Structures are given as C-alpha cells and as structure tokens.
C-alpha cells in the first residue's frame, strides 16, 4: 500500500476533526512518538489508515511511572470533581460520535450503524461510572466489644493496567477506564495494535475534558514487551484484561508474583437454545442479533444453536431466509449489515470450522464460502445438521456462521449447553415460564438472555464463569474490582 492509498483512506474517513486521528502514544499528558512504526489497516480494503508509534517496554515503564506519580492527587480529589471530568468526557464523546464511529468502522470493519451504537455504549459506561463515583459507600458495623467501633471504607487500588481487544475498540476501554478513574485509580491502557485509533481519539477527548496528566496513559505496539511490564511491575496494583482465553490465562499467571488484583473477560462459546414453544419471530430476530452482530466477532455471540425437533425445520428455514438478506460491504460506503472479518487469519478459522462441519454431514442452507471484496469478507452462513462434536460447537468460531444441532428433550439441551469450559453468555427461547426458571437456573453461564439476543448494557453486570473470566464489568458491581476494602477498628474510651 503506497502513500497515495493512505491519503485516500484518510480522505474517505471525512473526519470533522481530523486531529482526532493520532499515531502517537499518550504518556504523562504528552503525545509520545518513536521512529519505529506499525501499520493500522482498514480490514474492508486492506488500505493503510495510519502508521502508529510502536512502543515497547521503556514506554510502558514510563507510563506506569506517570500513573504512579499521578495517583495521590487524583485519588485525593473529591468524587464529585472526578465525576465532573468524566461527565465532560462523555459529553465530548457524544459530540464527536460521528467521527469516532467513522474511525472505528475504518480500523475495525463493523458497519457504521454498529459503530455508532458502540460509541453510544462506550459513552454510557463513562456516564454510569461518573454517577457511581459518588456512591462508593462504606459501612459501619456494630463493634464486637463495648469499646470498639468498626468502619469499613472502599479505597482505590492504585495504578490499573488494562489490555483490551480489537472487537469493541471503544466500549471495552470505557468499561474499564470509566470505573477505574471514577473511584480514583490511574490507568495505563494497552489497546490492540489492530485498533489503536479509537483509543487514542478517546484520549484526545479525555485530555480536553480536563483529565490531569498521567491519569490516563496509552501505550501500544510491542504487545509482549508491554504486557511483561504491566503484569510484573509492582507499582501496578490491578490488571484487567479482555481478550482470548489463552492470552488471559498466561498474563494472569504472571500477575501472581506481585499479587495483583486480576479481572478477566475472556472467550465464550455461547449456546442458543430454541424450544418447540418459542416465538419463532423472536427466536430468528434474536439469532440474527446475537450471532451476526459485528460479523460474529463478539464474545457473547451465539456460537452453537440447539433447536428442538418440533421447531427445527421452521427455525432453520426462517433463519436462512433472514441471513441471506444481510448486506455485506465496506461500512464507509453506504449502509451494510456485515463487515469483513478482522483479518485473513480470522477468515481462515471460519472456513476451517465450516469445512469440518461439512465433512461430518452438515448441509449449507445459505452462504458457506468467502465473499468477494478486498477485505476478509465471508458470506453470512447457516448450516443445518451440524454434528454435536463439530469444531463449530467446541470452539469459539468468531465469525458469521450459525450451525444448527437438533435436540429432543430439555435435559439434553441443558447438558449440551453446559458441556464446555466456557461460561460467558447463553440464550434461551421459550414461552414456558417454568422452563425459563428451570433452564435459566441450570445454565452455567454468567449471563443468560431469555427471549432476547441482546444482553449488553452498562446497567447490568457483564462477565463469565468457568474459564470465561473473573469479575464483573458495568453496573453497580463494576466498581468493586477497582477498590480495596479497608477496615478501621477504633477503640473508644468509656464515658
Ligand atoms: P487476544 O489476541 O487475546 O488480544 C487481546 C489483547 O491482548 C490485545 O490487546 C493484544 O494485543 C493483547 N495481547 C496478545 N498477546 C499478548 C501478550 N503476549 N502480552 C500482552 N498482551 C497481549 O484477543 P483478541 O483476538 O484481540 O480478542 C478476541 C477475544 O476476546 C475473543 O476470544 C473474545 O471472546 C474475547 N473477548 C471477550 C470479551 C468479554 O467481555 N468476555 C469481550 C470482547 C472480547 P495486540 O492486539 O496488540 O497483539
């Protein structure tokens, strides 16, 4: 890709505020350049959008030092003062929502309508935690002896290191940075090198909102080198990660030596259960929302469809019809429903899962092959009669493929759904109220969507059980991972 093509990609962005596109890291309130660069590409075209500074261990160390130095003053501010800055940040995010959405679509590939939705979602976390900042209440506990008084407070843990993935380049950041800043922590963030531009644009706006130097720092580039600093430096008191399960496990293990608090939002393998008594329209709409959002690249995407025998054929036909209508394309060039996969490797994984299912007797109802275009496009696909032990059922596909498996009984469906080491999200479609409670209770998942395919909101706790993670983000629980509980035990002189 030559310089002219990069200029073309920039022009297509048509940003109202071109200065939101940054290529430098952000450390101690300063934009940090290096001569080493890495390319940030548009996955829909292959065109280069930016050549970002490739930072490493030295810059990560400087970022931790800056966050450490900024912590005493930031944590000493009244909660309202921090909340006011967060509210301004949210206002600026919404004011520049269109630019942020265009940047996101360009670097990540999702349809513009979804990028707009994610910017609003990202802003909602900032708003929510600005509100929560003032309600980090402690408790008083009746003393265990006549002369004792016990007061419990919640204090910010200190420097937080956050590593985030490419599939939600803005919301995965504000879901961590929002609560951390709200309670008084300072942050070093490493966004994915595939999508650093959204993160850097958010930092421009945070600075404009009045966030003091060193409170939020961003380093990207050499992930292993940066990760090594963030997981081993004793000044970092909390490590929060969203990404794949193997990388999360490896980084969490490194945090043990300095006993950091650790939160993990890892991979899922979501089952989608459709019972004979389901509302067919709702089940199909839920399947589209849950499976095909972000071209199947969300951690809560339905991954395996278990459909009861009595509704199987009708559901399969209706879903295939709806999926065949999804419009594929470059999100910056008109309305689309499906963007490209993030890269060729991701498309290769999808193709391998489809090939494996077909080898074992699955039938293609729609799609089933790569789609045309310069980027890593794959046709939205529905496969019927997928084997229960197919790769599609055992691993997170992370692509636009719905594989259908037939079942007979409720017990069978629950057993199939729980037969995995993942436990992030599950979906159930039924009109039987008793079944809702039975199955909802029996599913070993952190989140269960019942008659809906959309479960993410800033007001509800988000997170998994089993190997899908530790901790919860969003909601009233979302601040807990960023505070330490302190007990003050007072002895009082008798009257
Ligand atoms: P990934 O490969 O694990 O990458 C996630 C982050 O880790 C990126 O910033 C990446 O940096 C960084 N990283 C990779 N190797 C590293 C290392 N050795 N040291 C330090 N950092 C390292 O995951 P992904 O492919 O970006 O994201 C997709 C996965 O995330 C899926 O499994 C999905 O289910 C999961 N996810 C989970 C949630 C949730 O809330 N549970 C939400 C979204 C996504 P570079 O990109 O710069 O290499």
């Amino acid at each position: 890709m030559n310089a002219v093509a990069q200029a073309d990609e920039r022009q297509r962005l048509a940003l109202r505020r071109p200065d939101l596109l940054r290529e430098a890291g952000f450390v101690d309130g300063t934009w940090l350049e290096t001569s080493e660069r890495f390319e940030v590409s548009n996955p829909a075209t292959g065109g280069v959008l930016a050549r970002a500074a490739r930072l490493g261990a030295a810059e990560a160390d400087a970022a931790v030092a800056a966050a450490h130095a900024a912590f005493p003053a930031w944590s000493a501010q009244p909660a309202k003062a921090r909340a006011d800055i967060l509210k301004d940040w949210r206002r600026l995010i919404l004011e520049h929502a269109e630019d942020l959405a265009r940047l996101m679509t360009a670097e990540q590939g999702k349809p513009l309508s979804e990028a707009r939705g994610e910017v609003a979602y990202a802003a909602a976390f900032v708003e929510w935690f600005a509100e929560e900042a003032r309600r980090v209440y402690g408790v008083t506990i009746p003393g265990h002896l006549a002369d004792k008084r016990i007061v419990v407070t919640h204090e910010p843990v200190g420097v937080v290191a956050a590593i985030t993935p490419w599939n939600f380049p803005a919301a995965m950041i504000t879901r961590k940075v929002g609560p951390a800043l709200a309670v008084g922590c300072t942050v070093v963030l490493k966004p994915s090198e595939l999508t650093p531009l959204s993160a850097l644009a958010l930092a421009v706006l945070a600075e404009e909102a009045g966030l003091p130097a060193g409170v939020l720092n961003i380093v990207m580039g050499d992930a292993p080198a940066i990760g090594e600093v963030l997981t081993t430096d004793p000044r970092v008191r909390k490590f929060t990660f969203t990404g794949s399960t193997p990388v999360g496990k490896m980084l969490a293990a490194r945090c043990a030596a300095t006993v950091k608090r650790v939160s993990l939002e890892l991979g899922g393998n979501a089952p989608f259960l459709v019972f004979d008594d389901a509302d067919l329209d709702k089940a199909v709409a839920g399947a589209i929302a849950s499976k095909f959002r972000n071209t199947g690249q969300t951690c809560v995407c339905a991954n395996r469809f278990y459909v009861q025998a009595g509704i199987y054929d009708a559901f399969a036909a209706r879903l295939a019809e709806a999926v065949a209508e999804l419009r594929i394309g470059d999100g910056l060039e008109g309305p689309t429903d499906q963007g490209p996969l993030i890269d060729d490797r991701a498309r290769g994984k999808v193709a391998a899962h489809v090939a494996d299912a077909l080898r074992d007797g699955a039938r293609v109802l729609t799609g089933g092959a790569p789609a045309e275009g310069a980027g890593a496009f794959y046709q939205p696909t529905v496969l019927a009669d997928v084997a229960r032990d197919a790769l599609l059922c055992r691993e997170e596909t992370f692509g636009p493929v719905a594989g259908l498996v037939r079942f007979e009984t409720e017990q069978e469906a629950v057993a199939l759904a729980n037969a995995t080491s993942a436990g992030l999200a599950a979906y159930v479609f039924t009109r039987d109220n008793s079944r809702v409670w039975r199955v909802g209770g029996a599913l070993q998942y952190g989140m269960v969507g019942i008659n809906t395919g959309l479960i993410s909101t800033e007001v509800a706790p988000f997170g998994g059980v089993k190997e899908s993670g530790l901790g919860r983000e969003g909601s009233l629980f979302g601040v807990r991972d960023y505070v330490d509980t302190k007990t003050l035990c007072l002895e009082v002189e008798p009257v």
Side-chain angles (χ1 to χ4, degrees):
M1 187 61 53
N2 57 36
V4 176
Q6 177 168 353
D8 284 351
E9 281 292 342
R10 292 272 180 109
Q11 214 161 16
R12 274 182 351 111
L13 275 173
L15 298 182
R16 283 177 215 148
R17 281 238 349 232
D19 67 310
L20 287 180
L21 196 163
R22 298 290 171 112
E23 297 178 313
F26 186 61
V27 174
D28 206 10
T30 302
W31 293 92
L32 200 64
E33 281 292 358
T34 54
S35 51
E36 265 198 84
R37 325 292 293 179
F38 65 93
E39 290 182 345
V40 182
S41 310
N42 181 334
T45 62
V48 176
L49 279 162
R51 291 186 165 78
R54 187 170 188 276
L55 308 177
E59 293 81 11
D61 184 70
V64 171
H68 191 247
F71 177 71
W74 179 246
S75 56
Q77 292 215 26
K80 182 175 180 329
R82 292 193 299 266
D84 284 344
I85 291 176
L86 288 175
K87 284 179 194 163
D88 266 352
W89 190 25
R90 175 216 176 224
R91 179 182 55 74
L92 289 168
I93 292 171
L94 293 179
E95 256 174 51
H96 297 94
E98 192 59 19
D99 277 357
L100 293 172
R102 294 185 74 79
L103 263 179
M104 188 187 296
T105 291
E107 68 173 344
Q108 200 272 345
K110 64 179 63 182
L112 200 49
S113 55
E114 288 191 24
R116 289 180 183 130
E118 184 183 337
V119 172
Y121 184 44
F125 283 112
V126 179
E127 178 186 39
W128 174 268
F129 287 111
E131 292 162 350
E132 285 297 292
R134 300 175 69 190
R135 294 170 184 65
V136 185
Y137 300 133
V139 289
T140 58
I141 295 175
H144 54 300
L145 295 171
D147 64 347
K148 291 291 195 298
R149 304 288 182 272
I150 296 175
V151 175
V152 178
T153 60
H154 300 296
E155 303 190 346
V157 294
V159 176
V160 171
I163 296 187
T164 52
W166 50 265
N167 62 344
F168 288 92
M172 295 304 99
I173 290 173
T174 56
R175 205 159 78 171
K176 297 180 187 304
V177 172
L181 299 186
V183 302
C185 298
T186 52
V187 176
V188 178
L189 166 71
K190 193 209 86 60
S192 168
E193 72 165 352
L194 297 171
T195 58
L197 304 181
S198 297
L200 297 169
L202 286 172
V204 173
L205 300 175
E207 195 181 20
E208 281 175 25
L211 203 66
V215 171
L216 172 63
N217 306 274
I218 302 186
V219 284
M220 68 282 174
D222 184 346
I226 295 169
E228 177 70 20
V229 173
L230 299 187
T231 52
T232 58
D233 191 309
R235 293 169 295 182
V236 173
R237 293 315 313 144
K238 179 187 170 74
F239 177 69
T240 172
F241 174 85
T242 298
S244 63
T245 305
V247 174
K249 284 181 183 177
M250 184 265 289
L251 295 175
R254 290 216 204 121
C255 290
T258 46
V259 195
K260 299 187 196 317
R261 278 109 194 85
V262 173
S263 299
L264 301 171
E265 295 284 358
L266 306 178
N269 178 5
F272 189 103
L273 275 47
V274 186
F275 288 94
D276 282 348
D277 56 23
D279 177 325
L280 192 55
D281 289 339
K282 266 190 188 221
V284 171
I288 297 282
S290 156
K291 175 72 252 183
F292 293 94
R293 193 162 59 102
N294 204 2
T295 315
Q297 302 170 111
T298 85
C299 52
V300 291
C301 268
N303 199 51
R304 313 167 272 151
F305 288 76
Y306 297 116
V307 188
Q308 204 162 14
I311 200 172
Y312 185 93
D313 290 335
F315 178 78
R318 289 280 303 280
L319 182 63
E321 202 179 301
V323 169
E325 283 174 10
L326 295 174
R327 298 161 297 177
I328 308 177
D330 176 346
L332 291 181
E333 301 290 333
T336 57
D337 304 306
Q338 294 282 282
L341 290 153
I342 190 70
D343 55 23
D344 273 331
R345 213 180 61 164
R347 180 161 63 174
K349 183 177 185 189
V350 171
H353 279 203
V354 170
D356 171 78
L358 296 181
R359 256 195 311 275
D360 273 345
R363 290 180 293 124
V364 175
L365 299 187
T366 186
E372 282 177 19
F377 290 96
Y378 196 90
Q379 295 170 355
T381 297
V382 180
L383 303 179
D385 304 338
V386 171
R388 291 177 177 195
D389 62 351
L391 275 178
L392 268 176
C393 297
R394 284 186 280 129
E395 290 179 12
E396 195 181 28
T397 305
F398 237 51
V401 182
L404 312 188
V405 176
R406 195 185 302 258
F407 73 87
E408 301 288 340
T409 68
E410 184 182 303
Q411 290 85 340
E412 189 188 1
V414 169
L416 285 167
N418 285 340
T420 170
S421 58
L424 191 60
Y427 303 88
V428 183
F429 284 77
T430 176
R431 279 186 284 207
D432 177 337
N433 233 337
S434 295
R435 197 197 312 270
V436 164
W437 289 103
R438 262 194 325 271
V439 175
L443 288 171
Q444 295 159 358
Y445 287 84
M447 297 167 284
V448 181
I450 295 162
N451 296 321
T452 177
L454 288 174
I455 54 174
S456 303
T457 156
E458 76 281 7
V459 309
F462 190 104
V465 300
K466 293 159 85 176
E467 293 190 13
S468 285
L470 293 173
R472 291 293 179 270
E473 294 189 330
S475 83
L476 72 160
F477 303 103
V479 293
R480 290 192 182 169
D481 287 343
Y482 296 92
V483 290
D484 282 326
T485 298
K486 178 183 273 182
T487 300
L488 298 169
C489 183
L490 293 80
E491 187 164 296
V492 178
E493 296 292 329
V495 186

